[in-house]
Amino acid sequence: DGVPYPTFTEYHVPNATVMLSLFADTVMVGGSYVLQRGGADLKWKLTTAFLCDPQVDWIQKADIDRLKKALGLKGIKHPTSGLLAIDYFLSQPGVELPIYIHGFDFFMGPKIHYFHENEPLFERLNNNIGVNMHSPYREKQYVEKLIEEGKVCFLKDMPKKK
């Protein structure tokens, strides 16, 4: 979600799917990524390498727009990176259902991210702006529907193996 963490060795996870969720949505979103990561973080080389890495996947604009329509989002509102990730994995060929999710509180908890204290100040400020760009209530309803359909399950609700 617009952060270069997957390029840092301490965050490397072999065989993980790395994607830029909203990069293709608007020039504003894509541009803010480049300006924040390249400029504010002073990581131009890292940002360029990340954007050009063939292992980094991009969620296509058509898929973002389809999900916006399914959620009934209008104007500048857009899905969260978490919901885009759910949608991305549900659309993969041969995916085994349900997909398991963890950490979704739909911004109803006391913090925006579980790693809030470790985020740079401009990220914490950006989070407060970003929350208003989403529709947590609609996303919660959408995920609840996916759960009812057996497509998604919270990790905490995963059946225990006997």
Side-chain angles (χ1 to χ4, degrees), residues 78-112:
H78 53 259
T80 60
S81 57
L83 190 62
L84 284 161
I86 291 170
D87 187 67
Y88 173 86
F89 286 108
L90 285 174
S91 68
Q92 296 306 297
V95 68
E96 186 177 323
L97 298 177
I99 61 166
Y100 289 91
I101 61 173
H102 179 69
F104 285 80
D105 69 356
F106 307 97
F107 303 118
M108 293 175 189
K111 299 176 186 173
I112 293 175

Side-chain angles (χ1 to χ4, degrees), residues 6 8 28 32 46 51-52 56 66-69 77 81 91 100-101 110 120 125 128-129 135 139 157:
F8 298 164
M28 184 180 83
S32 69
L46 177 68
L51 292 173
C52 296
V56 174
R66 177 185 43 75
L67 191 54
K68 283 181 178 181
K69 185 175 180 181
K77 299 268 187 190
S81 57
S91 68
Y100 289 91
I101 61 173
L125 295 172
N128 290 313
I129 295 166
S135 183
E139 289 198 15
D157 298 329

Side-chain angles (χ1 to χ4, degrees), residues 10 25 30 40 55 59 63 71 74 93 105 110 150 152:
E10 62 265 31
D25 187 36
Q55 291 185 316
I59 294 181
D63 293 328
L71 291 167
K74 306 260 191 252
D105 69 356
V152 171

Side-chain angles (χ1 to χ4, degrees), residues 1 20-26 29-30 59 64 78-81 84 134:
D1 176 33
L20 288 170
S21 56
L22 282 165
F23 194 80
D25 187 36
T26 65
V29 173
I59 294 181
I64 297 169
H78 53 259
T80 60
S81 57
L84 284 161
H134 304 303

